[in-house]
Structure formats: C-alpha cells, structure tokens
Amino acid sequence: MSCTVAEAPIRLLLDQHTIQSRVAELGAEISRDYSGLNPVIVAILKGSMPFFVDLSRAIQTPHTWDTLQVSSYHGGTSSSGVVKFNADLSDAIEGRHVILVEDIVDTGRTVSYLLNSLSTRNPASIKVASLLDKPSRREVPVPIDYLGFTIPDEFVIGYGLDYGQFFRNLPFVGVLEQVPSLPF
Ligand code: IMP
C-alpha cells in the first residue's frame, strides 16, 4: 500500500545538531586552508542549497558564491549515466580557487564530470566539499576534500536531498522507509 508524501515514514539518520556541528568543523577547516585566497564556493543545485548556505556562514575567510546545475541521465542501468549542464556558472573561474559544494557523492559521475569540465577553465585549484558520501555505490573515483559523513547504501532525503523534489526542507537527513506516491 502506498502513502502520501505527508505520511511517508522517515527513519532518522543524521539529526540537525549532528549536521550543524560537522558543518561548523568543515567551515573552520576551509577557513584555515583558504586564508587569504578569496575562494569561490559553487553550489551544485538544487540539493546542496542548505549545506552550501550553512557552510558559507561557517567559513570565516572572505569568499564569493556561484551556482551551477547539472542533470544526470540514466539509461537502463545506472552505469550508463551521463551528465550535462542545465545552467552554468555566472562568472569566470580562471585563476580562482574553486570549492564545489555537493549534497552527496553516489556513483561519482556528477562530481567527476564537473572536475573535468571546470578544470579546462584554468582555475588556480578545484576542491570538493560534500555533505554525504555513499562509497559503496562508487563507479568513478572522485576525491572528496571536505566530507561531512559517510553513509550506507540507502536512499536518503532531507537537508536538501529529495525524493521527487519533496523533503528538501527537512533540517535532518533520514531514510525513506516507504516510498510515497507523488502528487505531481
Ligand atoms: P552521482 O551518482 O554521484 O553523480 O550523484 C548524483 C546525484 O544523485 C546527487 O547529487 C544527488 O542529487 C542524487 N542522489 C544520489 N543519492 C541520493 C540519495 O540517496 N537521495 C537523494 N538524492 C541522491
């Protein structure tokens, strides 16, 4: 039997306090590593938005913001996934220190594609910050320089992560125990 998005049972994985403490630690680490470098932090839309904003507020060294959006197309199997830009950065990154901010690294295809693509624009450096890592699902190796949490192979929602565009607003990360039917 299916349930609505409002009724969907969610098992808590990372509570709000645990997330906020880890984000503060990552912000402190980035502040030390990038002191005097005026990095640009890049939100990979839409899932990284809450992490991106909280991380930015935890970074004590001057930095700028940019955003981009990509989509992954998966064929019959997830290993046939390809990635394409829906919306590019607004500013040039030549000579800039770039930190890509992602919600979760799953197969690794999105971050791998972005690292390859953006490195052709001659940034001074590119690093990756990801709230979550699901290493058991990796198909393409990617470096994660600033990682929040490693999680098991479960479909998670909340704190930016969605199922059918819902649940992004939750302040915690949880596992959907029953897949709801979507209104749209
Ligand atoms: P990739 O497979 O590493 O390219 O991850 C691509 C995207 O899949 C991530 O940025 C997320 O938006 C999405 N994704 C992967 N795993 C999950 C999950 O457990 N919940 C919600 N979205 C996910």
Side-chain angles (χ1 to χ4, degrees), residues 85 88 93-95 112-124 126:
F85 269 96
D88 204 339
I93 53 168
E94 183 163 3
S112 169
Y113 169 82
L114 287 172
L115 287 173
N116 288 332
S117 170
L118 298 181
S119 61
T120 65
R121 302 182 193 183
N122 301 317
I126 314 190

Side-chain angles (χ1 to χ4, degrees), residues 94-160:
E94 183 163 3
R96 298 291 306 271
H97 292 278
V98 178
I99 305 173
L100 282 177
V101 182
E102 178 62 302
D103 52 0
I104 185 167
V105 179
D106 186 33
T107 64
R109 289 186 182 279
T110 304
V111 168
S112 169
Y113 169 82
L114 287 172
L115 287 173
N116 288 332
S117 170
L118 298 181
S119 61
T120 65
R121 302 182 193 183
N122 301 317
S125 66
I126 314 190
K127 286 195 177 179
V128 176
S130 184
L131 177 73
L132 303 176
D133 182 19
K134 248 194 245 179
S136 55
R137 296 254 312 156
R138 196 73 86 255
E139 294 171 11
V140 184
V142 289
I144 305 177
D145 304 282
Y146 303 99
L147 173 64
F149 305 92
T150 299
I151 62 164
D153 182 11
E154 292 188 288
F155 190 81
V156 290
I157 45 97
Y159 199 61

Side-chain angles (χ1 to χ4, degrees), residues 32-45:
R32 284 192 297 274
D33 293 353
Y34 286 85
S35 173
L37 296 179
N38 303 309
V40 52
I41 65 171
V42 174
I44 304 174
L45 299 175

Side-chain angles (χ1 to χ4, degrees), residues 1-13 154-158 163 167 170 172-181:
M1 207 181 71
S2 92
C3 60
T4 67
V5 285
E7 296 160 349
I10 297 166
R11 174 165 44 88
L12 183 66
L13 195 61
E154 292 188 288
F155 190 81
V156 290
I157 45 97
Y163 172 72
F167 305 106
L170 301 177
F172 57 84
V173 171
V175 178
L176 263 187
E177 301 240 83
Q178 189 182 340
V179 177
S181 52

